[in-house]
Structures are given as C-alpha cells and as structure tokens.
Amino acid sequence: MSPLKVGYLLPTRDHAIRGDHDLKQLIDQARQAEALGLDSVWAGDSPLTRPRADPLLVLSGVAVATTRITLGTAVLLPALRHPILLAHQLATLDRLSDGRLIAGMGGGFPNAATEAQFAAIGVSFKRRIALLEESIGAMRRLWSGEEVSLDGRDLSLAPPPVRPEGPAIWLAGGGEAALRRVARLADGWLPYPPRVETYAQERALIGQSATRPVTPALYATLCLGEEPRQARERLRGSIERYYNAPLEAVEAVQAMFAGPAEQAADWLTSYIEAGARHLVIRLAADDHHAALEEFAGTVLPLLHAKGKA
C-alpha cells in the first residue's frame, strides 16, 4: 500500500470573496504548508461561477517558491480551454515544478450557474464531458514529445513536460459514467462523497475495470473546533459564502466535518480505511494561516499515526 499523503487547498475563493486580491499571501500559505510537512497544495478553478485567481498562474508562483511539495488543480475545467494551449501551460508548469504537478480535472458541476459560465465563455455545456475526454487524449499525445497530427496539422510542443507521459491526470466525479471514465482515462480519482460507504463502493468499481494504476484520493472540508455546534455554525458561514447555497444542500453531496481535531481525524481515517491514499483538505476558516497551523499540529499527526497502525 502506498504511503498516505495529505494536501491543502489554497483559499483562492475565500480571498476573492473578501475582496483580498493580494495573491502573494497564497504563495506564503503554500510555503507554510510545505514547512508544516504537508505533501501537496491545490488550487481550484472557476473564472465566473465562483470567481478566484487563475489556478495555473497561482501554482506557477508556488512552483518557484517551493521545492518539495506536490502541486495540484482541484479541479481544472479543460472544456473551458483550448487543448493545445492547456497542454502547453501544463507542460510548462510541470517543468517549473520539476515534475511535481498533478492535473486534477472535471467536467463542471451540472447546475445553472456552471451552465451560465460555459455560455459566457462560448463553450457548449452539453458537450462538456466529451470536450474533457477529447482534451485528455489530445494533451497526452502532445506531451509525448513526438510530432503528432491534430485536426490535420502536424504539431509539437516545447518544452515537453518532465515525464514523457506528462503530469498525472486525476478525475473528479461519482456515479457509473464518471467511474467508468476514471477507470479508462485517469491516473487518480478525486471525489468528495459525503458517505464513506459510497466511497468504498465506488473505489471498488474503479478497481475492477481500471486500465492503469489509479490513486484513490478524497476532497474533504474541515472546520475545526472543540465545541461542535460552534464549529458547525462557522462551517455554515464559510460554505454559504463560498457556494451561495445552504449548507444542508452542499453537505448532501460533499464530504464535510465540523468539530474537534481527534474526531476529524477519526472521520478522515474511515475514508483511509476505505482506500483513500491522498487527502485534499479544504479548511473552512477566517484566518487560514492559523487554521493551517492548527490542522498541521493536531489532525495531521493523528492521521499519520492512524495510517501506520
């Protein structure tokens, strides 16, 4: 079994909500995560639905400012970008980071706000999954370093990514169609099911049909606090600002926990026991530096101890 890895979602959306556009703070938080012993830092993507800083540009700054920590997108929407340009950007970022990049990708959550974002950018929302799959195929061919034929033209990219196959591609999603896509195309799986039983069942389905090794990961939101009711209210405030939707609606589809550190570690351990090997943690907090320190000082050691038990 591969070692457990734990990552941190940079609060790009939280900063944008507050009107705080000093992006250097995000780079500082990535340095902080590396110094505190986390394994990865991630950035989300949503130019219009939930606006925030561009994830690839933020991670370019992180690549230069760090030396060890893995960089990831959680998650990128390839359908909004031309595959040649996206392949070029990801290959360049992979070079800047010395091969530390994971390209987490998704099709976009099916709701009216996401559909409006696609319409504004001039991309067919109905074709978003087909475009996702087409982009993955095109990018992997372009990353091969060989001249390839795309749309009747012979093309090649420079620089190539560090690894001949390009950065690892992780796909989000649950349900039969998404799981088949993960098994067929992905190097990793980054879902957020609120029930660990669902996670275990879906992971098993991927394992039955995967054509390559697939890293099982988990995207989860934590709000730490010794008093569970107060922690839940802080979670409510954070989530409802983030999504402009009731907490109850969001937690029905996303893995979330509010409460003491030990209970949070137990909750995450249930997913680890169901097979998760890389946790991507979003912290619901006002002071993200303090919240990251708290998580690294309390939950992280418990996770590593439980992972070795």
Side-chain angles (χ1 to χ4, degrees):
M1 182 182 293
S2 59
L4 174 67
K5 295 187 177 181
V6 182
Y8 168 62
L9 183 77
L10 293 169
T12 53
R13 171 64 175 155
D14 301 78
H15 280 225
I17 290 170
R18 296 199 308 263
D20 184 352
H21 303 304
D22 179 4
L23 302 185
K24 292 179 182 178
Q25 294 178 70
L26 297 168
I27 308 303
D28 290 341
Q29 286 166 322
R31 288 196 193 99
Q32 180 187 16
E34 184 171 65
L36 290 170
L38 278 86
D39 300 292
S40 57
V41 290
W42 301 74
D45 179 32
S46 183
L48 299 174
T49 304
R50 291 184 292 277
R52 68 195 75 186
D54 181 89
L56 300 183
L57 292 176
V58 169
L59 292 175
S60 293
V62 173
V64 175
T66 59
T67 59
R68 172 192 59 80
I69 206 163
T70 295
L71 318 180
T73 53
V75 291
L76 191 70
L77 303 178
L80 298 180
R81 298 162 171 85
H82 193 286
I84 295 175
L85 297 179
L86 182 55
H88 191 204
Q89 290 173 319
L90 290 170
T92 301
L93 180 52
D94 195 53
R95 279 280 161 187
L96 277 174
S97 65
D98 295 323
R100 292 182 280 143
L101 178 63
I102 294 172
M105 300 181 180
F109 194 76
N111 60 24
T114 307
E115 188 168 356
Q117 175 174 252
F118 274 70
I121 297 174
V123 177
S124 168
F125 183 73
K126 292 181 179 179
R127 292 201 67 241
R128 69 191 187 283
I129 301 302
L131 291 170
L132 167 66
E133 296 194 12
E134 291 168 10
S135 290
I136 291 172
M139 288 189 294
R140 281 190 166 138
R141 292 198 305 275
L142 288 163
W143 289 335
S144 69
E146 303 295 328
E147 191 172 82
V148 298
S149 180
L150 192 66
D151 293 333
R153 299 182 180 183
D154 292 333
L155 304 168
S156 60
L157 287 181
V162 171
R163 292 156 288 186
E165 69 277 12
I169 292 176
W170 291 11
L171 291 179
E176 185 178 350
L179 297 175
R180 287 200 306 266
R181 186 162 49 251
V182 170
R184 180 165 45 89
L185 297 175
D187 305 296
W189 176 48
L190 184 56
Y192 45 58
R195 297 178 64 248
V196 70
E197 296 83 2
T198 303
Y199 185 92
Q201 292 164 4
E202 294 192 332
R203 177 180 171 267
L205 289 173
I206 292 171
Q208 290 169 11
S209 54
T211 59
R212 64 180 77 206
V214 176
T215 299
L218 174 74
Y219 180 107
T221 299
L222 296 185
C223 185
L224 298 178
E226 286 302 312
E227 211 296 308
R229 288 186 182 180
Q230 292 179 4
R232 180 167 175 80
E233 285 310 302
R234 287 191 286 108
L235 175 67
R236 178 182 299 280
S238 175
I239 291 301
E240 294 184 354
R241 286 193 303 270
Y242 195 104
Y243 288 103
N244 195 28
L247 171 62
E248 289 76 11
V250 180
E251 69 180 353
V253 295
Q254 287 195 21
M256 296 186 177
F257 178 88
E262 188 167 355
Q263 293 178 23
D266 288 340
W267 177 72
L268 289 169
T269 298
S270 69
Y271 284 92
I272 295 167
E273 291 172 346
R277 302 313 302 159
H278 200 135
L279 308 179
V280 177
I281 304 298
R282 178 176 64 184
L283 296 174
D286 294 324
D287 185 337
H288 284 273
H289 281 287
L292 183 54
E293 290 275 357
E294 181 182 15
F295 173 79
T298 57
V299 180
L300 188 60
L302 292 172
L303 290 176
H304 286 310
K306 292 173 185 290
K308 294 175 182 176

